[in-house]
Amino acid sequence: METVVELSAASDGASLIIHFTGGIRAWKSGTNLWDIGPISEGGVPVSKGSFSTEELQKFAGEKGLHAIAFEDCVMSNGAYYSVMRAITKKNENHLFASADEWRNIESNITQARLDDYLTEHAKTDRDELDQVLDAKTSIEAVTGYISDSLRSLGSGFITSR
């Protein structure tokens, strides 16, 4: 005889996961508590917890693990969102959305186009300059569309930079 168990929907909530080299993850389970896994213990993958932030840092240092990414997970009204953010030494601002990255790409392309134009047309009035700015190339338009789409889809969710 077949047994049927009804699954309940996950409740709304959010979590933060830090991904380390070696496939190890630490997920925040409390205000200052972290669970770690998978760790091989007796040849079996297990998770262990609960570590304070300081204990997590010590554990990672002892095992030679390096944090490589943050993952923000959100469950809202039955929809699940998961967004990764790379951890890099050169970038201390990990609160930089993909939409912002694409907007920067568009701005850099526009600036290069504008610099070329101004080199050839040193005396340009404001109306002419506005026309030049509005005459976006297809690449500029696409990067702007991508930025706008990511912003509307993600509602500000943070991703890698």
mmCIF file with all atom_site columns, all heavy atoms in Angstrom, residues 130-151:
data_model
loop_
_atom_site.group_PDB
_atom_site.id
_atom_site.type_symbol
_atom_site.label_atom_id
_atom_site.label_alt_id
_atom_site.label_comp_id
_atom_site.label_asym_id
_atom_site.label_entity_id
_atom_site.label_seq_id
_atom_site.pdbx_PDB_ins_code
_atom_site.Cartn_x
_atom_site.Cartn_y
_atom_site.Cartn_z
_atom_site.occupancy
_atom_site.B_iso_or_equiv
_atom_site.pdbx_formal_charge
_atom_site.auth_seq_id
_atom_site.auth_comp_id
_atom_site.auth_asym_id
_atom_site.auth_atom_id
_atom_site.pdbx_PDB_model_num
ATOM 1   N N   . ASP A 1 130 ? 22.175 66.559 -25.521 1.00 0.00 ? 130 ASP A N   1
ATOM 2   C CA  . ASP A 1 130 ? 21.053 65.693 -25.144 1.00 0.00 ? 130 ASP A CA  1
ATOM 3   C C   . ASP A 1 130 ? 20.703 64.721 -26.265 1.00 0.00 ? 130 ASP A C   1
ATOM 4   O O   . ASP A 1 130 ? 20.409 63.553 -26.019 1.00 0.00 ? 130 ASP A O   1
ATOM 5   C CB  . ASP A 1 130 ? 19.825 66.530 -24.773 1.00 0.00 ? 130 ASP A CB  1
ATOM 6   C CG  . ASP A 1 130 ? 19.969 67.212 -23.423 1.00 0.00 ? 130 ASP A CG  1
ATOM 7   O OD1 . ASP A 1 130 ? 20.862 66.802 -22.642 1.00 0.00 ? 130 ASP A OD1 1
ATOM 8   O OD2 . ASP A 1 130 ? 19.197 68.153 -23.156 1.00 0.00 ? 130 ASP A OD2 1
ATOM 9   N N   . GLN A 1 131 ? 20.739 65.199 -27.502 1.00 0.00 ? 131 GLN A N   1
ATOM 10  C CA  . GLN A 1 131 ? 20.450 64.327 -28.644 1.00 0.00 ? 131 GLN A CA  1
ATOM 11  C C   . GLN A 1 131 ? 21.496 63.224 -28.765 1.00 0.00 ? 131 GLN A C   1
ATOM 12  O O   . GLN A 1 131 ? 21.164 62.071 -29.041 1.00 0.00 ? 131 GLN A O   1
ATOM 13  C CB  . GLN A 1 131 ? 20.385 65.140 -29.936 1.00 0.00 ? 131 GLN A CB  1
ATOM 14  C CG  . GLN A 1 131 ? 19.155 66.007 -30.030 1.00 0.00 ? 131 GLN A CG  1
ATOM 15  C CD  . GLN A 1 131 ? 19.149 66.860 -31.289 1.00 0.00 ? 131 GLN A CD  1
ATOM 16  O OE1 . GLN A 1 131 ? 20.128 66.910 -32.036 1.00 0.00 ? 131 GLN A OE1 1
ATOM 17  N NE2 . GLN A 1 131 ? 18.024 67.536 -31.517 1.00 0.00 ? 131 GLN A NE2 1
ATOM 18  N N   . VAL A 1 132 ? 22.750 63.584 -28.554 1.00 0.00 ? 132 VAL A N   1
ATOM 19  C CA  . VAL A 1 132 ? 23.834 62.594 -28.615 1.00 0.00 ? 132 VAL A CA  1
ATOM 20  C C   . VAL A 1 132 ? 23.638 61.552 -27.512 1.00 0.00 ? 132 VAL A C   1
ATOM 21  O O   . VAL A 1 132 ? 23.774 60.345 -27.741 1.00 0.00 ? 132 VAL A O   1
ATOM 22  C CB  . VAL A 1 132 ? 25.219 63.270 -28.502 1.00 0.00 ? 132 VAL A CB  1
ATOM 23  C CG1 . VAL A 1 132 ? 26.327 62.240 -28.335 1.00 0.00 ? 132 VAL A CG1 1
ATOM 24  C CG2 . VAL A 1 132 ? 25.479 64.141 -29.715 1.00 0.00 ? 132 VAL A CG2 1
ATOM 25  N N   . LEU A 1 133 ? 23.309 61.997 -26.304 1.00 0.00 ? 133 LEU A N   1
ATOM 26  C CA  . LEU A 1 133 ? 23.088 61.055 -25.193 1.00 0.00 ? 133 LEU A CA  1
ATOM 27  C C   . LEU A 1 133 ? 21.894 60.148 -25.451 1.00 0.00 ? 133 LEU A C   1
ATOM 28  O O   . LEU A 1 133 ? 21.917 58.971 -25.091 1.00 0.00 ? 133 LEU A O   1
ATOM 29  C CB  . LEU A 1 133 ? 22.898 61.826 -23.884 1.00 0.00 ? 133 LEU A CB  1
ATOM 30  C CG  . LEU A 1 133 ? 24.157 62.456 -23.302 1.00 0.00 ? 133 LEU A CG  1
ATOM 31  C CD1 . LEU A 1 133 ? 23.807 63.370 -22.136 1.00 0.00 ? 133 LEU A CD1 1
ATOM 32  C CD2 . LEU A 1 133 ? 25.139 61.385 -22.861 1.00 0.00 ? 133 LEU A CD2 1
ATOM 33  N N   . ASP A 1 134 ? 20.845 60.694 -26.072 1.00 0.00 ? 134 ASP A N   1
ATOM 34  C CA  . ASP A 1 134 ? 19.640 59.892 -26.348 1.00 0.00 ? 134 ASP A CA  1
ATOM 35  C C   . ASP A 1 134 ? 19.840 58.898 -27.487 1.00 0.00 ? 134 ASP A C   1
ATOM 36  O O   . ASP A 1 134 ? 19.100 57.923 -27.588 1.00 0.00 ? 134 ASP A O   1
ATOM 37  C CB  . ASP A 1 134 ? 18.457 60.805 -26.682 1.00 0.00 ? 134 ASP A CB  1
ATOM 38  C CG  . ASP A 1 134 ? 17.938 61.541 -25.462 1.00 0.00 ? 134 ASP A CG  1
ATOM 39  O OD1 . ASP A 1 134 ? 18.254 61.106 -24.324 1.00 0.00 ? 134 ASP A OD1 1
ATOM 40  O OD2 . ASP A 1 134 ? 17.228 62.550 -25.631 1.00 0.00 ? 134 ASP A OD2 1
ATOM 41  N N   . ALA A 1 135 ? 20.819 59.134 -28.353 1.00 0.00 ? 135 ALA A N   1
ATOM 42  C CA  . ALA A 1 135 ? 21.070 58.264 -29.507 1.00 0.00 ? 135 ALA A CA  1
ATOM 43  C C   . ALA A 1 135 ? 21.925 57.074 -29.081 1.00 0.00 ? 135 ALA A C   1
ATOM 44  O O   . ALA A 1 135 ? 23.058 56.896 -29.524 1.00 0.00 ? 135 ALA A O   1
ATOM 45  C CB  . ALA A 1 135 ? 21.735 59.055 -30.623 1.00 0.00 ? 135 ALA A CB  1
ATOM 46  N N   . LYS A 1 136 ? 21.382 56.245 -28.239 1.00 0.00 ? 136 LYS A N   1
ATOM 47  C CA  . LYS A 1 136 ? 22.132 55.104 -27.699 1.00 0.00 ? 136 LYS A CA  1
ATOM 48  C C   . LYS A 1 136 ? 22.390 54.062 -28.789 1.00 0.00 ? 136 LYS A C   1
ATOM 49  O O   . LYS A 1 136 ? 21.556 53.836 -29.655 1.00 0.00 ? 136 LYS A O   1
ATOM 50  C CB  . LYS A 1 136 ? 21.354 54.452 -26.561 1.00 0.00 ? 136 LYS A CB  1
ATOM 51  C CG  . LYS A 1 136 ? 21.222 55.345 -25.344 1.00 0.00 ? 136 LYS A CG  1
ATOM 52  C CD  . LYS A 1 136 ? 20.576 54.584 -24.205 1.00 0.00 ? 136 LYS A CD  1
ATOM 53  C CE  . LYS A 1 136 ? 20.445 55.446 -22.989 1.00 0.00 ? 136 LYS A CE  1
ATOM 54  N NZ  . LYS A 1 136 ? 21.703 55.830 -22.408 1.00 0.00 ? 136 LYS A NZ  1
ATOM 55  N N   . THR A 1 137 ? 23.542 53.417 -28.682 1.00 0.00 ? 137 THR A N   1
ATOM 56  C CA  . THR A 1 137 ? 23.824 52.294 -29.565 1.00 0.00 ? 137 THR A CA  1
ATOM 57  C C   . THR A 1 137 ? 22.987 51.110 -29.099 1.00 0.00 ? 137 THR A C   1
ATOM 58  O O   . THR A 1 137 ? 22.445 51.113 -27.979 1.00 0.00 ? 137 THR A O   1
ATOM 59  C CB  . THR A 1 137 ? 25.317 51.913 -29.518 1.00 0.00 ? 137 THR A CB  1
ATOM 60  O OG1 . THR A 1 137 ? 25.625 51.439 -28.197 1.00 0.00 ? 137 THR A OG1 1
ATOM 61  C CG2 . THR A 1 137 ? 26.211 53.090 -29.882 1.00 0.00 ? 137 THR A CG2 1
ATOM 62  N N   . SER A 1 138 ? 22.897 50.084 -29.909 1.00 0.00 ? 138 SER A N   1
ATOM 63  C CA  . SER A 1 138 ? 22.111 48.906 -29.522 1.00 0.00 ? 138 SER A CA  1
ATOM 64  C C   . SER A 1 138 ? 22.705 48.236 -28.284 1.00 0.00 ? 138 SER A C   1
ATOM 65  O O   . SER A 1 138 ? 21.966 47.728 -27.431 1.00 0.00 ? 138 SER A O   1
ATOM 66  C CB  . SER A 1 138 ? 22.014 47.912 -30.683 1.00 0.00 ? 138 SER A CB  1
ATOM 67  O OG  . SER A 1 138 ? 23.301 47.504 -31.094 1.00 0.00 ? 138 SER A OG  1
ATOM 68  N N   . ILE A 1 139 ? 24.029 48.266 -28.152 1.00 0.00 ? 139 ILE A N   1
ATOM 69  C CA  . ILE A 1 139 ? 24.662 47.661 -26.974 1.00 0.00 ? 139 ILE A CA  1
ATOM 70  C C   . ILE A 1 139 ? 24.303 48.444 -25.715 1.00 0.00 ? 139 ILE A C   1
ATOM 71  O O   . ILE A 1 139 ? 24.000 47.863 -24.671 1.00 0.00 ? 139 ILE A O   1
ATOM 72  C CB  . ILE A 1 139 ? 26.194 47.570 -27.152 1.00 0.00 ? 139 ILE A CB  1
ATOM 73  C CG1 . ILE A 1 139 ? 26.513 46.584 -28.277 1.00 0.00 ? 139 ILE A CG1 1
ATOM 74  C CG2 . ILE A 1 139 ? 26.878 47.154 -25.866 1.00 0.00 ? 139 ILE A CG2 1
ATOM 75  C CD1 . ILE A 1 139 ? 27.962 46.530 -28.674 1.00 0.00 ? 139 ILE A CD1 1
ATOM 76  N N   . GLU A 1 140 ? 24.315 49.767 -25.812 1.00 0.00 ? 140 GLU A N   1
ATOM 77  C CA  . GLU A 1 140 ? 23.914 50.586 -24.662 1.00 0.00 ? 140 GLU A CA  1
ATOM 78  C C   . GLU A 1 140 ? 22.469 50.298 -24.276 1.00 0.00 ? 140 GLU A C   1
ATOM 79  O O   . GLU A 1 140 ? 22.153 50.162 -23.090 1.00 0.00 ? 140 GLU A O   1
ATOM 80  C CB  . GLU A 1 140 ? 24.053 52.080 -24.983 1.00 0.00 ? 140 GLU A CB  1
ATOM 81  C CG  . GLU A 1 140 ? 25.474 52.575 -25.019 1.00 0.00 ? 140 GLU A CG  1
ATOM 82  C CD  . GLU A 1 140 ? 25.543 53.977 -25.562 1.00 0.00 ? 140 GLU A CD  1
ATOM 83  O OE1 . GLU A 1 140 ? 25.531 54.135 -26.799 1.00 0.00 ? 140 GLU A OE1 1
ATOM 84  O OE2 . GLU A 1 140 ? 25.597 54.920 -24.736 1.00 0.00 ? 140 GLU A OE2 1
ATOM 85  N N   . ALA A 1 141 ? 21.603 50.215 -25.286 1.00 0.00 ? 141 ALA A N   1
ATOM 86  C CA  . ALA A 1 141 ? 20.187 49.961 -25.013 1.00 0.00 ? 141 ALA A CA  1
ATOM 87  C C   . ALA A 1 141 ? 19.999 48.601 -24.336 1.00 0.00 ? 141 ALA A C   1
ATOM 88  O O   . ALA A 1 141 ? 19.274 48.485 -23.352 1.00 0.00 ? 141 ALA A O   1
ATOM 89  C CB  . ALA A 1 141 ? 19.383 50.028 -26.308 1.00 0.00 ? 141 ALA A CB  1
ATOM 90  N N   . VAL A 1 142 ? 20.684 47.586 -24.840 1.00 0.00 ? 142 VAL A N   1
ATOM 91  C CA  . VAL A 1 142 ? 20.543 46.235 -24.262 1.00 0.00 ? 142 VAL A CA  1
ATOM 92  C C   . VAL A 1 142 ? 21.034 46.212 -22.820 1.00 0.00 ? 142 VAL A C   1
ATOM 93  O O   . VAL A 1 142 ? 20.373 45.645 -21.946 1.00 0.00 ? 142 VAL A O   1
ATOM 94  C CB  . VAL A 1 142 ? 21.293 45.190 -25.126 1.00 0.00 ? 142 VAL A CB  1
ATOM 95  C CG1 . VAL A 1 142 ? 21.438 43.871 -24.385 1.00 0.00 ? 142 VAL A CG1 1
ATOM 96  C CG2 . VAL A 1 142 ? 20.570 44.982 -26.438 1.00 0.00 ? 142 VAL A CG2 1
ATOM 97  N N   . THR A 1 143 ? 22.189 46.828 -22.542 1.00 0.00 ? 143 THR A N   1
ATOM 98  C CA  . THR A 1 143 ? 22.678 46.814 -21.166 1.00 0.00 ? 143 THR A CA  1
ATOM 99  C C   . THR A 1 143 ? 21.727 47.563 -20.235 1.00 0.00 ? 143 THR A C   1
ATOM 100 O O   . THR A 1 143 ? 21.521 47.158 -19.095 1.00 0.00 ? 143 THR A O   1
ATOM 101 C CB  . THR A 1 143 ? 24.108 47.401 -21.061 1.00 0.00 ? 143 THR A CB  1
ATOM 102 O OG1 . THR A 1 143 ? 24.120 48.718 -21.611 1.00 0.00 ? 143 THR A OG1 1
ATOM 103 C CG2 . THR A 1 143 ? 25.118 46.532 -21.785 1.00 0.00 ? 143 THR A CG2 1
ATOM 104 N N   . GLY A 1 144 ? 21.115 48.640 -20.737 1.00 0.00 ? 144 GLY A N   1
ATOM 105 C CA  . GLY A 1 144 ? 20.109 49.359 -19.945 1.00 0.00 ? 144 GLY A CA  1
ATOM 106 C C   . GLY A 1 144 ? 18.879 48.502 -19.692 1.00 0.00 ? 144 GLY A C   1
ATOM 107 O O   . GLY A 1 144 ? 18.342 48.481 -18.579 1.00 0.00 ? 144 GLY A O   1
ATOM 108 N N   . TYR A 1 145 ? 18.437 47.768 -20.718 1.00 0.00 ? 145 TYR A N   1
ATOM 109 C CA  . TYR A 1 145 ? 17.273 46.881 -20.561 1.00 0.00 ? 145 TYR A CA  1
ATOM 110 C C   . TYR A 1 145 ? 17.572 45.773 -19.551 1.00 0.00 ? 145 TYR A C   1
ATOM 111 O O   . TYR A 1 145 ? 16.732 45.413 -18.729 1.00 0.00 ? 145 TYR A O   1
ATOM 112 C CB  . TYR A 1 145 ? 16.851 46.256 -21.892 1.00 0.00 ? 145 TYR A CB  1
ATOM 113 C CG  . TYR A 1 145 ? 16.397 47.242 -22.942 1.00 0.00 ? 145 TYR A CG  1
ATOM 114 C CD1 . TYR A 1 145 ? 16.644 47.016 -24.293 1.00 0.00 ? 145 TYR A CD1 1
ATOM 115 C CD2 . TYR A 1 145 ? 15.724 48.416 -22.601 1.00 0.00 ? 145 TYR A CD2 1
ATOM 116 C CE1 . TYR A 1 145 ? 16.242 47.922 -25.256 1.00 0.00 ? 145 TYR A CE1 1
ATOM 117 C CE2 . TYR A 1 145 ? 15.316 49.323 -23.568 1.00 0.00 ? 145 TYR A CE2 1
ATOM 118 C CZ  . TYR A 1 145 ? 15.573 49.070 -24.895 1.00 0.00 ? 145 TYR A CZ  1
ATOM 119 O OH  . TYR A 1 145 ? 15.171 49.956 -25.847 1.00 0.00 ? 145 TYR A OH  1
ATOM 120 N N   . ILE A 1 146 ? 18.779 45.218 -19.629 1.00 0.00 ? 146 ILE A N   1
ATOM 121 C CA  . ILE A 1 146 ? 19.160 44.161 -18.686 1.00 0.00 ? 146 ILE A CA  1
ATOM 122 C C   . ILE A 1 146 ? 19.137 44.719 -17.263 1.00 0.00 ? 146 ILE A C   1
ATOM 123 O O   . ILE A 1 146 ? 18.603 44.089 -16.342 1.00 0.00 ? 146 ILE A O   1
ATOM 124 C CB  . ILE A 1 146 ? 20.547 43.577 -19.029 1.00 0.00 ? 146 ILE A CB  1
ATOM 125 C CG1 . ILE A 1 146 ? 20.474 42.787 -20.336 1.00 0.00 ? 146 ILE A CG1 1
ATOM 126 C CG2 . ILE A 1 146 ? 21.057 42.683 -17.891 1.00 0.00 ? 146 ILE A CG2 1
ATOM 127 C CD1 . ILE A 1 146 ? 21.823 42.370 -20.889 1.00 0.00 ? 146 ILE A CD1 1
ATOM 128 N N   . SER A 1 147 ? 19.711 45.898 -17.068 1.00 0.00 ? 147 SER A N   1
ATOM 129 C CA  . SER A 1 147 ? 19.725 46.522 -15.744 1.00 0.00 ? 147 SER A CA  1
ATOM 130 C C   . SER A 1 147 ? 18.306 46.723 -15.223 1.00 0.00 ? 147 SER A C   1
ATOM 131 O O   . SER A 1 147 ? 17.988 46.365 -14.085 1.00 0.00 ? 147 SER A O   1
ATOM 132 C CB  . SER A 1 147 ? 20.463 47.864 -15.795 1.00 0.00 ? 147 SER A CB  1
ATOM 133 O OG  . SER A 1 147 ? 20.371 48.516 -14.557 1.00 0.00 ? 147 SER A OG  1
ATOM 134 N N   . ASP A 1 148 ? 17.447 47.291 -16.064 1.00 0.00 ? 148 ASP A N   1
ATOM 135 C CA  . ASP A 1 148 ? 16.061 47.538 -15.650 1.00 0.00 ? 148 ASP A CA  1
ATOM 136 C C   . ASP A 1 148 ? 15.326 46.231 -15.348 1.00 0.00 ? 148 ASP A C   1
ATOM 137 O O   . ASP A 1 148 ? 14.564 46.143 -14.383 1.00 0.00 ? 148 ASP A O   1
ATOM 138 C CB  . ASP A 1 148 ? 15.308 48.327 -16.721 1.00 0.00 ? 148 ASP A CB  1
ATOM 139 C CG  . ASP A 1 148 ? 15.841 49.738 -16.876 1.00 0.00 ? 148 ASP A CG  1
ATOM 140 O OD1 . ASP A 1 148 ? 16.538 50.230 -15.952 1.00 0.00 ? 148 ASP A OD1 1
ATOM 141 O OD2 . ASP A 1 148 ? 15.572 50.356 -17.933 1.00 0.00 ? 148 ASP A OD2 1
ATOM 142 N N   . SER A 1 149 ? 15.563 45.208 -16.169 1.00 0.00 ? 149 SER A N   1
ATOM 143 C CA  . SER A 1 149 ? 14.908 43.915 -15.950 1.00 0.00 ? 149 SER A CA  1
ATOM 144 C C   . SER A 1 149 ? 15.356 43.274 -14.646 1.00 0.00 ? 149 SER A C   1
ATOM 145 O O   . SER A 1 149 ? 14.538 42.760 -13.881 1.00 0.00 ? 149 SER A O   1
ATOM 146 C CB  . SER A 1 149 ? 15.209 42.959 -17.114 1.00 0.00 ? 149 SER A CB  1
ATOM 147 O OG  . SER A 1 149 ? 14.656 43.450 -18.307 1.00 0.00 ? 149 SER A OG  1
ATOM 148 N N   . LEU A 1 150 ? 16.662 43.296 -14.393 1.00 0.00 ? 150 LEU A N   1
ATOM 149 C CA  . LEU A 1 150 ? 17.170 42.730 -13.150 1.00 0.00 ? 150 LEU A CA  1
ATOM 150 C C   . LEU A 1 150 ? 16.625 43.477 -11.946 1.00 0.00 ? 150 LEU A C   1
ATOM 151 O O   . LEU A 1 150 ? 16.263 42.880 -10.933 1.00 0.00 ? 150 LEU A O   1
ATOM 152 C CB  . LEU A 1 150 ? 18.698 42.761 -13.121 1.00 0.00 ? 150 LEU A CB  1
ATOM 153 C CG  . LEU A 1 150 ? 19.394 41.768 -14.034 1.00 0.00 ? 150 LEU A CG  1
ATOM 154 C CD1 . LEU A 1 150 ? 20.889 42.058 -14.105 1.00 0.00 ? 150 LEU A CD1 1
ATOM 155 C CD2 . LEU A 1 150 ? 19.141 40.350 -13.584 1.00 0.00 ? 150 LEU A CD2 1
ATOM 156 N N   . ARG A 1 151 ? 16.550 44.794 -12.054 1.00 0.00 ? 151 ARG A N   1
ATOM 157 C CA  . ARG A 1 151 ? 16.034 45.588 -10.939 1.00 0.00 ? 151 ARG A CA  1
ATOM 158 C C   . ARG A 1 151 ? 14.563 45.255 -10.678 1.00 0.00 ? 151 ARG A C   1
ATOM 159 O O   . ARG A 1 151 ? 14.146 45.099 -9.545  1.00 0.00 ? 151 ARG A O   1
ATOM 160 C CB  . ARG A 1 151 ? 16.209 47.080 -11.219 1.00 0.00 ? 151 ARG A CB  1
ATOM 161 C CG  . ARG A 1 151 ? 16.008 47.924 -10.004 1.00 0.00 ? 151 ARG A CG  1
ATOM 162 C CD  . ARG A 1 151 ? 16.464 49.363 -10.178 1.00 0.00 ? 151 ARG A CD  1
ATOM 163 N NE  . ARG A 1 151 ? 17.757 49.558 -10.791 1.00 0.00 ? 151 ARG A NE  1
ATOM 164 C CZ  . ARG A 1 151 ? 18.920 49.360 -10.178 1.00 0.00 ? 151 ARG A CZ  1
ATOM 165 N NH1 . ARG A 1 151 ? 18.971 48.966 -8.934  1.00 0.00 ? 151 ARG A NH1 1
ATOM 166 N NH2 . ARG A 1 151 ? 20.056 49.564 -10.813 1.00 0.00 ? 151 ARG A NH2 1
#
